Amino acid sequence: TYNALINGLCSNRKIESALKVFDQMGRKGCLPNVKTYNEMINGFCMTAKIEKAMVLFNRMLKVGPPPNRITYNTLINGYCKCGYLSNAMRLLDFMKENGCEPDEWTYTELICGFCKVGKLELASKVFDEMVERSLSANEVTYTALIEGHFKSGEVDVALSLLERMEEMGGELNVQTYNVVINGFCKENMLSEAEKLLEKMIERGLLPNVVTYTSLVDGLCKNGAVHLAFRVVDEMVKQDCMPNLHTYSVLVYGLCQEGKAEEAEALIGEMEAKGLVLDEVTYTSIIDGFVMLGRLDHAFSLLKRMVSAGCKPN
RNA sequence: ACUAACAGAUCUUGA
């Protein structure tokens, strides 16, 4: 009961409330088990409070319950997510010393972490260690590597990894396609991206809002805002609704073309749909008016942002 | 219902 509750609170980023429940349950004679601790640790990691996660971890080491593989994986992921890769590697050693065998998840998290900070060499070292331990890379591992190579501009390597994935059998999933489509878009290879979109549909996969938003962004950033709107029409036809990210990309695209007025109209449409604008959307539109020299209006949007309860960062 | 991969802005990225 308590675990379900804590998990629910953590997934909703209510870590403070989760902590209250966590502290209370002990007093009510129900001691937290490993899963409870893991959930709390993950909750802290997801909100970038790794130090607090480590406090709980140390308590587990001292008074139990002893950490298991999931505890270690969760913490390693937490360190990876905030770029502390050396701490993540230290935890890998520590878990081995304590007789806890790393698994595919452990290595995949580290590979992803190294890819995210552009350390492809280290990512492939981790990959090799994983293989030496006769663990096999799965679609998540490969997708992380593909993304890493795209972000480092090594499109050819990324594509050869994709081929390898296909050769090893198994269909690619939507998320893998998304990474490649977004990679192409970021490299301004829009026709490749569109070809891949068609291919995934042919293979019976349903593109989702991330797929379409990547394309919309690619088009906007290549001076084809009008085509971006056609993609949005298409996604709506496919019953895939544009979300905050999608609109935000369009707002930015319009503003970059000097069409801040049109962007503002779009914002009206977002509000009418009940979407809540965030600081990213506001920054785009404010910047749009700044670029037009209309500082008065930029400031009034800033006010509107604050009164809408959105905190400027 | 304990852990891993995907989309948006601004500023910065120093010999």
Side-chain angles (χ1 to χ4, degrees):
Chain A
T1 315
Y2 280 113
N3 285 357
L5 190 53
I6 287 176
N7 188 18
L9 289 167
C10 287
S11 326
N12 287 298
R13 312 224 142 204
K14 305 268 180 223
I15 184 68
E16 294 308 326
S17 318
L19 188 60
K20 270 185 203 145
V21 174
F22 182 80
D23 287 337
Q24 257 173 33
M25 62 186 285
R27 274 184 262 124
K28 299 207 172 168
C30 183
L31 287 179
N33 60 18
V34 197
K35 285 192 187 187
T36 329
Y37 271 95
N38 289 349
E39 284 169 348
M40 285 302 304
I41 287 176
N42 190 43
F44 280 124
C45 287
M46 303 311 323
T47 50
K49 298 182 192 325
I50 185 86
E51 351 49 76
K52 301 207 174 175
M54 286 306 284
V55 171
L56 289 181
F57 175 66
N58 285 321
R59 197 194 297 174
M60 295 176 87
L61 291 178
K62 265 193 212 130
V63 301
N68 60 14
R69 180 184 292 136
I70 295 185
T71 319
Y72 285 106
N73 286 353
T74 307
L75 283 165
I76 287 174
N77 187 43
Y79 275 127
C80 286
K81 282 286 159 349
C82 49
Y84 293 142
L85 271 301
S86 47
N87 285 351
M89 288 301 283
R90 214 170 296 147
L91 261 175
L92 174 68
D93 292 336
F94 189 77
M95 80 186 277
K96 289 183 210 156
E97 283 163 18
N98 285 39
C100 188
E101 288 291 310
D103 65 0
E104 289 87 350
W105 287 53
T106 323
Y107 286 109
T108 299
E109 290 168 348
L110 288 162
I111 289 168
C112 179
F114 280 122
C115 283
K116 284 267 184 327
V117 295
K119 309 254 188 218
L120 296 182
E121 291 292 325
L122 292 171
S124 74
K125 259 179 86 174
V126 173
F127 186 91
D128 293 342
E129 181 180 326
M130 174 175 177
V131 175
E132 271 168 32
R133 290 187 163 241
S134 51
L135 293 168
S136 50
N138 60 24
E139 71 275 23
V140 179
T141 324
Y142 274 101
T143 304
L145 274 171
I146 289 172
E147 189 192 357
H149 285 283
F150 261 114
K151 294 222 156 113
S152 302
E154 298 177 359
V155 179
D156 46 337
V157 183
L159 294 181
S160 67
L161 282 166
L162 186 70
E163 266 179 40
R164 206 154 108 202
M165 256 180 110
E166 288 185 298
E167 282 164 9
M168 294 188 331
E171 295 294 303
L172 304 184
N173 65 22
V174 175
Q175 199 152 324
T176 305
Y177 276 103
N178 286 353
V179 167
V180 181
I181 287 174
N182 186 45
F184 278 138
C185 287
K186 292 291 185 292
E187 292 289 326
N188 303 321
M189 299 166 73
L190 291 173
S191 58
E192 309 293 334
E194 279 167 347
K195 260 183 242 156
L196 206 58
L197 173 67
E198 280 170 28
K199 187 166 156 187
M200 73 185 279
I201 294 171
E202 272 171 26
R203 299 201 175 172
L205 290 174
L206 276 185
N208 61 21
V209 64
V210 175
T211 324
Y212 287 115
T213 303
S214 292
L215 258 178
V216 170
D217 185 48
L219 289 166
C220 283
K221 294 208 165 78
N222 281 275
V225 178
H226 57 294
L227 292 179
F229 276 97
R230 299 194 49 165
V231 171
V232 174
D233 290 341
E234 177 61 23
M235 72 187 279
V236 172
K237 229 181 263 167
Q238 305 296 328
D239 258 326
C240 178
M241 290 304 140
N243 65 12
L244 181 63
H245 278 247
T246 322
Y247 275 105
S248 199
V249 166
L250 291 166
V251 165
Y252 178 76
L254 287 169
C255 287
Q256 292 298 311
E257 286 194 336
K259 297 176 177 164
E261 296 281 1
E262 285 180 41
E264 196 167 9
L266 200 58
I267 280 183
E269 190 182 316
M270 295 172 73
E271 286 168 337
K273 288 197 175 176
L275 287 173
V276 179
L277 310 202
D278 67 2
E279 69 278 14
V280 176
T281 324
Y282 278 112
T283 304
S284 298
I285 185 89
I286 288 172
D287 195 38
F289 281 102
V290 168
M291 288 187 300
L292 293 178
R294 293 184 51 185
L295 296 187
D296 51 333
H297 199 63
F299 274 106
S300 81
L301 282 162
L302 178 65
K303 268 191 204 155
R304 195 162 127 197
M305 164 177 189
V306 173
S307 61
C310 181
K311 250 178 125 177
N313 62 12

